Amino acid sequence: MTKIFKRAAAGVMALAMCAGLSGCYSENNTWAVKSGDTTLPIGGYIYYLSSAYSEAAGKLGTETEVLKSDVEGQNSSDWIKSKATDYLYSYCYVNDKFNELGLTLDEDDLDSVDYVTSNMWGYYKEPFEDMGIAESSFEEAYSVYNSKLTKLLHTMYGKGGELELSEDELHDHYTDGYVYYQYLYADLTITGDEGESAEMDEDEKSEVKEYLEDQAKLISDGRIDLDTASANYANFKGTQPTLGEPVAYAKDSLNDLFAEALEPLNDGEAAFVETATRYYIVQKLDIEEDFKALLEDGSRLGSLLSDMKGEDFSQYTIDQGKSMDIQINQSAINGIKPSKVAKIMGKNGTSSGESSESESSSAE
């Protein structure tokens, strides 16, 4: 998942061990918010309130009782209710703007919505229903909303959008924040005559290490490429190493060993990397060439836009929603207290009182 989805999913995960929350609303209070032709059922608000509670717990830590604390200088109960209401504003804006721009969810989008909903619901049907969240409400507040949010972000920040990012902005973010590389690795095991696997002895490891270090130097000198190094190792050991595809990765998410090895390299140069179970050759590739390819790949470009503007756009949708003419069913919402959510999610944010993932806004 992208950043936009990770926090939303954490709110779902935090509810996995929950037990019932019944009696949250009367039959006369079945909706939470209306905007134009769009209506969110009250179950969607319950989900957002639970997400806000989980987010508050994440800010406070598992040793702190959520509803007896302050969050960002505000009474936690008030903060949670305000955050859940923010998600209603975002929901309304996303739906309104999505329709205004004439966007639609295509077949792939709808398949993804169905897949996400059915898989989540398969795990959390009982606790969600006990809370008063119907499957249709969850799908609308989580799966459909996130799909629309993502498509709207890509449209508004993409080429011709009202928040369009220039190619220079995209270039600087990508070339500064990502590294483009390829690798091969050899496992430090040997296979016996009967197919059994055993760890190499120290002499064998030393021999492999020296060979791969030499191959890395040949690559850096421009005498061979990584494909040739892979073939050379297969001839040397009689075992084909694993050759990865070229990949671009955010520097702040890259494995420390790879990050340290790649950082001093110039394009085309390679380095040997050692772990307890594998030996690697990593080669730094030209990020400028990959950026050109990214601009022609709608999926990758969308991921970059989400990485750059996901959090900003989340807040933007809330702010824009607050300026809209929407109708919030305050009487229904007032009947759903954070204290009832706390009984399900635990006073520390988890039903067992133990640590759990807690970043959980479906609007973030």
Side-chain angles (χ1 to χ4, degrees):
M1 298 189 259
T2 62
K3 286 181 178 179
I4 292 176
F5 294 156
K6 287 181 179 178
R7 296 181 181 178
V12 176
M13 299 298 290
L15 298 171
M17 301 303 295
C18 295
L21 171 58
S22 59
C24 291
Y25 59 91
S26 72
E27 292 183 1
N28 296 323
N29 292 318
T30 59
W31 60 276
V33 66
K34 293 181 179 181
S35 175
D37 296 330
T38 300
T39 300
L40 180 69
I42 194 65
Y45 175 76
I46 298 171
Y47 171 72
Y48 290 153
L49 192 73
S50 302
S51 295
Y53 182 88
S54 183
E55 187 176 350
K59 292 179 178 293
L60 295 170
T62 58
E63 301 302 316
T64 304
E65 190 168 342
V66 176
L67 295 184
K68 291 186 177 180
S69 307
D70 289 344
V71 180
E72 298 178 342
Q74 186 178 11
N75 174 272
S76 60
S77 183
D78 293 338
W79 187 93
I80 291 165
K81 290 185 290 184
S82 176
K83 182 67 68 171
T85 302
D86 282 349
Y87 303 156
L88 296 181
Y89 288 127
S90 177
Y91 170 85
C92 290
Y93 174 77
V94 167
N95 277 279
D96 183 80
K97 193 67 175 180
F98 193 87
N99 294 334
E100 176 191 322
L101 296 179
L103 301 177
T104 59
L105 297 180
D106 60 27
E107 186 174 347
D108 288 341
D109 296 325
L110 294 174
D111 286 344
S112 178
V113 165
D114 289 343
Y115 178 81
V116 169
T117 301
S118 62
N119 276 272
M120 289 291 191
W121 198 256
Y123 284 107
Y124 310 123
K125 177 180 186 295
E126 183 176 352
F128 276 6
E129 287 183 341
D130 286 343
M131 292 176 67
I133 304 173
E135 181 177 6
S136 57
S137 297
F138 172 71
E139 180 173 79
E140 180 64 21
Y142 178 70
S143 310
V144 174
Y145 165 80
N146 279 319
S147 188
K148 289 182 176 180
L149 177 68
T150 300
K151 180 162 282 192
L152 187 62
L153 183 154
H154 295 170
T155 300
M156 294 182 69
Y157 285 106
K159 190 172 182 61
E162 60 189 75
L163 302 175
E164 179 181 1
L165 296 177
S166 69
E167 186 172 318
D168 286 343
E169 289 176 290
L170 295 170
H171 172 272
D172 291 347
H173 180 88
Y174 191 67
T175 57
D176 290 344
Y178 285 73
V179 61
Y180 185 46
Y181 67 98
Q182 188 176 11
Y183 65 85
L184 68 76
Y185 69 79
D187 289 313
L188 302 183
T189 57
I190 56 174
T191 302
D193 294 337
E194 298 182 3
E196 74 279 10
S197 181
E199 185 178 356
M200 292 180 182
D201 62 32
E202 293 306 314
D203 288 341
E204 289 173 308
K205 290 179 182 179
S206 178
E207 182 182 44
V208 169
K209 178 178 180 178
E210 182 178 353
Y211 186 84
L212 291 179
E213 286 177 330
D214 287 343
Q215 293 293 297
K217 187 175 187 307
L218 290 173
I219 293 171
S220 293
D221 291 343
R223 297 171 61 185
I224 63 172
D225 58 21
L226 203 59
D227 287 337
T228 302
S230 177
N232 288 346
Y233 182 83
N235 291 329
F236 169 65
K237 289 298 291 182
T239 302
Q240 190 71 41
T242 298
L243 179 63
E245 294 293 328
V247 61
Y249 218 79
K251 291 178 180 178
D252 59 6
S253 300
L254 190 63
N255 176 285
D256 287 344
L257 285 174
F258 276 23
E260 292 173 6
L262 289 164
E263 197 279 329
L265 299 180
N266 295 315
D267 292 343
E269 293 181 343
F272 172 80
V273 176
E274 178 178 356
T275 72
T277 59
R278 292 173 176 172
Y279 289 158
Y280 289 83
I281 295 176
V282 294
Q283 183 183 22
K284 190 173 186 179
L285 304 177
D286 185 358
I287 192 71
E288 296 286 351
E289 287 300 315
D290 188 54
F291 176 69
K292 294 175 184 176
L294 178 145
L295 292 178
E296 302 301 320
D297 186 327
S299 178
R300 292 185 65 201
L301 179 58
S303 294
L304 180 63
L305 292 172
S306 293
D307 176 51
M308 293 177 66
K309 291 298 182 179
E311 292 189 9
D312 289 346
F313 190 59
S314 173
Q315 186 58 51
Y316 178 85
T317 65
I318 293 169
D319 294 340
Q320 294 299 307
K322 289 179 178 179
S323 66
M324 292 174 57
D325 182 18
I326 66 177
Q327 183 181 358
I328 295 178
N329 189 350
Q330 204 63 53
S331 63
I333 286 174
N334 288 343
I336 304 168
K337 308 295 184 184
S339 59
K340 292 182 179 180
V341 175
K343 289 179 182 178
I344 295 175
M345 301 183 68
K347 63 182 181 180
N348 304 99
T350 62
S351 58
S352 65
E354 296 177 351
S355 176
S356 73
E357 289 185 285
S358 55
E359 288 185 300
S360 58
S361 162
S362 65
E364 291 188 280

